[in-house]
Amino acid sequence: MIHGQDVTLSLGGARILDDVSFGIESGTFTAVCGPNGAGKTTLLRTVNGALSPDAGRVVVDGEDVATLSAKAIARRVATVPQDTSVAFDFPVRDVVAMGRTAHRGRFERATADDRDAVDRALERAQVTELADRPVGTVSGGERQRVMLARALAQETPALVLDEPTASLDVNHQIRTLSLVRSLVEEGKTALAAIHDLDLAARFCDELLVVADGRVLAAGPPTDVLTEDVVERAFGTRVAVRTNPVTGTPTVTTLGSGTHTQDLTERSVAPSAHRPDGGHEE
Amino acid sequence: MHRWRRLGAWCGGLAAALVVACLASVAYGAVDLSPVVVAKAALNAVAVPAGLSLAVSSVGVPALGQVPWLAPDVQYVHPFAFAVPQSAQTIVVQLRAPRVALAAVVGFALASAGTVMQGFFRNPLADPSIIGVSTGAAVGAVSAIVFPGVVAALPLLGLVPFVGSLQVFAFVSALATAFLVYLVATDGGRTPVATLLLAGVAVQALLGAVVSYLLIQAGESVDQALYWLMGHLSNASWNDVVVTLPLALVGFLVLAAYARDLNVLLMGEEDAHALGIEVERTKRVLLAVSTLVTAAAVSVAGVIGFVGLIVPHVMRLLVGPDHRNLLPTSALAGSVFLVATDAVARSGPTELPVGIVTAALGAPFFLYLLWSQEVRAL
């Protein structure tokens, strides 16, 4: 569905992606993980055509993204941005209806199809009851779902999400990712940058670990989330165990400083959670 | 549909207000006329093309001599013939109506361009001249006033019928300035709006210095130059209207066709691209058309401030941020505002440049909106 071939890209003289290749199968949920500045967002931006690689290419649905018009891309890949703030106070429904841009000609009025797609998207993202509210008055978690609804209104096979959980509380994190998960079950292909390794492991089929502009590992979470890979990616010592509740890998950051021993002891205590949340932000 | 009904109601109301403002403004003056007489005189002047005949004529072409061609000859029918005193008919049609019509056209143009620029820059302080159109026009117009000999010698001016060389000079230099700003701010096919804004400010500062220098050199023509700079509608002629109106209308229609794209652009350029907008191409169209519309208005009426800044803000409070509603209502409201302020401008013992009145009325109103927290963002 989405393939990157030897993608190299520099921004402002700094090489952000260095010969990156990846493949994302149709109907899967893939998380891009890695430390800050690893190139996660940049990688997503090559998939939705916001950036063109200096070398290599990104192919979506059999077409090289660089050769497609904005409209053609927007019919293949819908994007949920990280920054969901909207400067102008459009009603939620109007924001979601903007997802239909690529399906309408300049002089065409909204068709019944367009209106149905918007209604379905509002429903699916659980924001129907917010439809007439100005988007500036809804909470951060709700706005995230509004942006997801906008992306759903695009009716694309692929969905790109940039840090969909970054600014959300635990409840909304799970709610958002469950929603994406169920969309994938229904046939969509999703690619998301996700900071939280535990959440990525729990909800995604595949992980793509990037560090320093390169792909460090790719595959199912249980194969990829090894102490070795995570330590190399994040430059910190970690312990990887299986979460007794979800049955998926859980990563505990131990840190690399002088208190490591200390932390190791605490991390094995039964009630302990990540002591410092070190691998987030 | 709901939106169309609401938009229709707003536009109908504003159009009615425009008609009332125009009638009142034409009625008012040294010789007071009743609005009924004004309406009758205006209707008397209405000419409907009724027939078209082609007459064989000949035209002189260098190197070929006289070449025959078909000259179109349009016959008009005047459907109305109310009894109106000849003096009143002349005052209305020849003296006052062109000025009021030009006020309506200029207000329409400035408010349309201002609405688009505020959306384009996602900045509440943006106005039609943000990228230097007005300052560019000022350099052209003041040069034409200060050095009439140089301007008259330029061959370019003979090509444009109807309007004076001053207007042509202002128009061309307005477009050249905007294009220069665009070139400076564009790199590798991309024009970041922040760079465009800064380039506009820098070029405006530079050209402001040029205008100041020209004023020092102006000698006796300094009064005329200052009067132009303050924005004015006196000396308006039907020719000004005939040249400005099509530019304003066609420009408006193009901008209106891009209203939905402008809405999507408000989401941010990267979002807009992800939603299917060709961002850079859309920005070029919006910039070029608003520049053209602004230049047309400024070159006939001088620098009339605040119309393009305040009218869109007020309309945004009333109809919301959706440019499909905001653009037409702002354009009409701009007409009403400028017709009304121009009536105020010529109501005193000495006639004021209308730019003074728009600023004197507009700025306090804007401050009031800020104070009452109505204008927070766009």
Side-chain angles (χ1 to χ4, degrees):
Chain A
M1 179 74 207
I2 305 170
H3 293 277
Q5 294 165 3
D6 310 321
V7 177
T8 297
L9 190 132
S10 299
L11 289 176
R15 181 161 287 199
I16 310 292
L17 294 179
D18 192 359
D19 211 13
V20 169
S21 294
F22 54 91
I24 290 148
E25 291 309 312
S26 191
T28 59
F29 187 179
T30 304
V32 186
C33 301
N36 290 329
K40 298 188 295 291
T41 299
T42 307
L43 190 147
L44 297 186
R45 292 170 79 197
T46 62
V47 172
N48 70 14
L51 294 173
S52 296
D54 301 330
R57 57 190 204 137
V58 178
V59 176
V60 175
D61 224 359
E63 304 269 4
D64 185 345
V65 171
T67 65
L68 293 176
S69 69
K71 209 167 199 170
I73 296 172
R75 287 177 180 173
R76 289 173 166 77
V77 183
T79 306
V80 179
Q82 178 175 12
D83 176 17
T84 59
S85 61
V86 175
F88 287 65
D89 253 357
F90 286 97
V92 164
R93 181 184 296 278
D94 289 8
V95 172
V96 174
M98 288 182 193
R100 300 302 295 169
T101 303
H103 294 273
R104 285 166 69 179
R106 180 170 308 290
F107 298 103
E108 280 168 27
R109 306 238 322 244
T111 61
D113 274 356
D114 289 322
R115 281 190 290 275
D116 289 349
V118 171
D119 285 339
R120 271 198 308 275
L122 286 165
E123 181 73 42
R124 199 68 191 81
Q126 302 157 18
V127 287
T128 304
E129 69 280 11
L130 305 175
D132 297 320
R133 294 248 309 267
V135 70
T137 66
V138 307
S139 74
E142 290 167 336
R143 208 159 55 227
Q144 182 81 48
R145 293 207 305 279
V146 171
M147 290 300 163
L148 186 59
R150 191 184 75 181
L152 292 179
Q154 281 180 254
E155 296 189 319
T156 56
L159 207 54
V160 164
L161 305 99
D162 192 4
E163 307 279 7
T165 54
S167 55
L168 302 183
D169 63 42
V170 281
N171 170 30
H172 282 101
Q173 286 182 347
I174 301 297
R175 195 167 166 185
T176 302
L177 289 179
S178 302
L179 190 53
V180 175
R181 181 73 241 172
S182 62
L183 291 166
V184 169
E185 303 297 336
E186 291 160 23
K188 285 219 195 260
T189 309
L191 177 63
I194 298 178
H195 255 302
D196 189 312
L197 296 172
D198 291 14
L199 284 177
R202 182 170 155 193
F203 285 97
C204 299
D205 304 302
E206 302 270 326
L207 298 192
L208 192 65
V209 180
V210 292
D212 249 351
R214 291 167 176 278
V215 175
L216 219 55
T222 41
D223 298 355
V224 169
L225 279 189
T226 61
E227 288 174 1
D228 175 53
V229 167
V230 179
E231 283 178 3
R232 275 198 294 145
F234 291 89
T236 184
R237 289 191 49 221
V238 298
V240 177
R241 301 282 181 273
T242 299
N243 184 317
V245 181
T246 60
T248 52
T250 178
V251 177
T252 305
T253 315
L254 305 174
S256 48
T258 49
H259 304 294
T260 304
Q261 195 54 47
D262 234 21
L263 292 168
T264 314
E265 277 164 17
R266 249 193 273 160
S267 73
V268 293
S271 65
H273 262 261
R274 278 194 311 274
D276 59 3
H279 66 250
E280 278 189 321
E281 275 309 355
Chain B
M1 268 163 47
H2 180 65
R3 188 179 78 77
W4 287 96
R5 271 210 311 277
R6 193 157 160 267
L7 177 60
W10 270 107
C11 288
L14 285 165
L18 181 59
V19 170
V20 170
C22 286
L23 286 180
S25 181
V26 173
Y28 174 81
V31 179
D32 272 332
L33 303 168
S34 83
V36 178
V37 173
V38 173
K40 284 180 178 170
L43 288 174
N44 281 349
V46 169
V48 179
L52 180 74
S53 60
L54 292 172
V56 179
S57 163
S58 66
V59 63
V61 175
L64 289 174
Q66 292 292 310
V67 175
W69 80 307
L70 291 172
D73 183 19
V74 186
Q75 289 93 39
Y76 292 97
V77 167
H78 293 265
F80 302 102
F82 295 106
V84 175
Q86 186 55 44
S87 63
Q89 184 75 31
T90 308
I91 288 174
V92 168
V93 175
Q94 297 304 322
L95 296 179
R96 293 185 191 163
R99 175 175 185 153
V100 171
L102 192 65
V105 172
V106 167
F108 184 91
L110 291 177
S112 314
T115 305
V116 171
M117 285 295 98
Q118 284 173 7
F120 179 97
F121 283 100
R122 294 187 288 280
N123 187 325
L125 283 178
D127 76 350
S129 38
I130 189 107
I131 61 162
V133 184
S134 296
T135 326
V139 169
V142 174
S143 310
I145 292 167
V146 177
F147 307 115
V150 177
V151 174
L154 288 172
L156 159 83
L157 305 173
L159 297 176
V160 185
F162 304 135
V163 285
S165 57
L166 188 144
Q167 284 91 324
V168 176
F169 220 62
F171 186 72
V172 170
S173 98
L175 293 188
T177 305
F179 192 60
L180 173 77
V181 169
Y182 170 78
L183 283 184
V184 168
T186 302
D187 183 31
R190 284 179 186 252
T191 315
V193 291
T195 317
L196 197 59
L197 201 63
L198 291 173
V201 170
V203 169
Q204 281 190 64
L206 178 67
L207 295 184
V210 171
V211 170
S212 299
Y213 179 77
L214 287 172
L215 287 177
I216 290 174
Q217 301 298 314
E220 285 181 356
S221 53
V222 69
D223 283 354
Q224 202 195 338
L226 281 176
Y227 193 71
W228 190 94
L229 285 175
M230 282 186 265
H232 55 85
L233 290 160
S234 54
N235 310 326
S237 70
W238 280 119
N239 283 342
D240 291 333
V241 178
V242 164
V243 173
T244 317
L245 181 65
L247 275 173
L249 275 185
V250 171
F252 169 82
L253 289 176
V254 175
L255 294 175
Y258 275 84
R260 211 169 57 206
D261 300 37
L262 197 51
N263 286 345
V264 180
L265 268 182
L266 293 181
M267 300 283 120
E269 291 184 11
E270 192 154 328
D271 263 28
H273 179 269
L275 289 168
I277 303 282
E278 295 291 350
V279 172
E280 293 300 328
R281 195 175 69 200
T282 305
K283 278 161 62 185
R284 275 198 295 276
V285 171
L286 292 174
L287 206 56
V289 176
S290 355
T291 297
L292 210 59
V293 167
T294 308
V298 173
S299 52
V300 292
V303 185
I304 299 178
F306 278 95
V307 181
L309 177 66
I310 289 185
V311 171
H313 275 296
V314 173
M315 292 318 294
R316 199 174 283 114
L317 288 176
L318 295 172
V319 305
D322 187 336
H323 285 91
R324 293 172 299 173
N325 305 326
L326 182 58
L327 188 60
T329 50
S330 278
L332 285 170
S335 285
V336 176
F337 180 71
L338 201 56
V339 169
T341 43
D342 183 52
V344 174
R346 58 191 178 86
S347 67
T350 42
E351 184 179 320
L352 294 170
V354 68
I356 292 182
V357 181
T358 57
L361 291 179
F365 184 58
F366 196 54
L367 288 173
Y368 166 75
L369 290 179
L370 284 176
W371 173 71
S372 64
Q373 298 262 309
E374 293 288 5
V375 180
R376 271 147 300 183
L378 276 170

